[in-house]
Amino acid sequence: VSTHLPGERGKWKWKMEDEGEPRPASASLYVSNLPVCCTEAQLFEIFNAAGPVASIRVCRDPATNQARGNAYVNFYSSESATRALDRLNYTIMLGHAIVIRSAHSDPELKAGGGSGVIVKNLDLSIDSKILSDTFSQFGRIVSAQVSVDPATGKSQGFGYVHFETQRECQDAIDMVDGKMVGDKIVFVGRCRSKMLESPTPKWLPWTMALADLTLRWLTLPLALYLAGCPS
């Protein structure tokens, strides 16, 4: 029996009654590339076919309550989660090819470095399934996803692929970077961690401009003197 219960911060989540003992982490899945209109009830209908679902949470913007296009699905057993991953990955839902992976590998795999690559200049006809098939020859893929517009589900021309090892990641870069995939030459490189990036402070451009202006004023007398000297 399922009930609709309030989750954290007043949000709602789809939860099963009598959950019992805590579930292993391997029984949890992260689902992305969802249509923004997707609800917990719709996801429950899809995933419950793979096995009893314990709870579902659609991730939402805390300020607007707008769905972000991703969700967490928790099963009672890891076997059910594995079955859902095998059967439902890249299923089309309201025009979106949903991408499923273990919750261990998310929520921000693409934000990290490690064994992930970013693929740029993708042909717009390439979806997450084709991307996964293209790179699977280099090793076991943890996740492969083409970035899409949340509203339309259309490709934005780039994607991310994550492997189990650094070696597989480097092999993919060596073999695919600069090669033709579909009708376009793609560029493949390591994912850069947002945590390692140093954002440019907003005041830096103004400071550099002020320093340049100061230098010009300091050198002006010398420039005028040299201009007045006979050649």
Side-chain angles (χ1 to χ4, degrees):
V1 180
S2 59
T3 55
H4 211 200
L5 300 176
E8 298 178 357
R9 298 183 181 179
K11 303 298 185 292
W12 293 80
K13 66 179 180 179
W14 192 268
K15 184 177 182 181
M16 300 295 294
E17 292 179 349
D18 303 323
E19 290 192 35
E21 295 299 322
R23 295 171 307 284
S26 57
S28 299
L29 298 177
Y30 177 78
V31 188
S32 57
N33 197 32
L34 290 166
V36 293
C37 60
C38 175
T39 66
E40 285 87 348
Q42 290 172 322
L43 287 174
F44 176 84
E45 184 176 352
I46 292 173
F47 282 88
N48 198 55
V53 171
S55 65
I56 294 176
R57 179 171 67 88
V58 171
C59 301
R60 300 180 182 276
D61 186 297
T64 65
N65 201 34
Q66 175 68 42
R68 291 176 169 173
N70 50 5
Y72 290 91
V73 179
N74 302 307
F75 289 90
Y76 284 107
S77 69
S78 57
E79 291 79 11
S80 295
T82 300
R83 191 179 305 116
L85 182 60
D86 293 340
R87 295 180 180 179
L88 301 176
N89 202 14
Y90 305 119
T91 295
I92 302 299
M93 181 179 185
L94 301 178
H96 292 237
I98 65 174
V99 178
I100 307 170
R101 52 182 172 264
S102 168
H104 288 297
S105 62
D106 222 76
E108 294 293 336
L109 253 183
K110 69 180 182 181
S115 54
V117 299
I118 181 171
V119 188
K120 300 180 180 180
N121 199 41
L122 280 172
D123 189 305
L124 298 183
S125 65
I126 293 178
D127 59 17
S128 298
K129 176 81 165 59
I130 297 175
L131 186 68
S132 177
D133 291 343
T134 301
F135 282 86
S136 61
Q137 59 184 303
F138 304 109
R140 186 178 183 280
I141 291 179
V142 177
S143 68
Q145 181 174 358
V146 172
S147 180
V148 299
D149 185 305
T152 65
K154 294 182 178 179
S155 170
Q156 294 180 318
F158 66 95
Y160 300 90
V161 181
H162 287 81
F163 296 92
E164 283 195 334
T165 68
Q166 293 275 356
R167 180 67 263 172
E168 294 167 345
C169 177
Q170 190 58 50
D171 287 346
I173 294 174
D174 294 341
M175 298 302 295
V176 185
D177 185 37
K179 302 298 193 301
M180 187 79 73
V181 176
D183 293 328
K184 288 188 175 182
I185 294 177
V186 299
F187 302 93
V188 185
R190 295 269 184 175
C191 291
R192 294 184 59 188
S193 173
K194 292 180 180 179
M195 299 296 292
L196 297 178
E197 291 178 356
S198 299
T200 303
K202 294 181 179 180
W203 48 262
L204 185 57
W206 295 98
T207 303
M208 295 179 65
L210 181 60
D212 180 67
L213 184 60
T214 301
L215 181 61
R216 289 176 183 272
W217 276 104
L218 291 175
T219 57
L220 182 60
L222 178 60
L224 293 175
Y225 172 76
L226 294 176
C229 290
S231 57

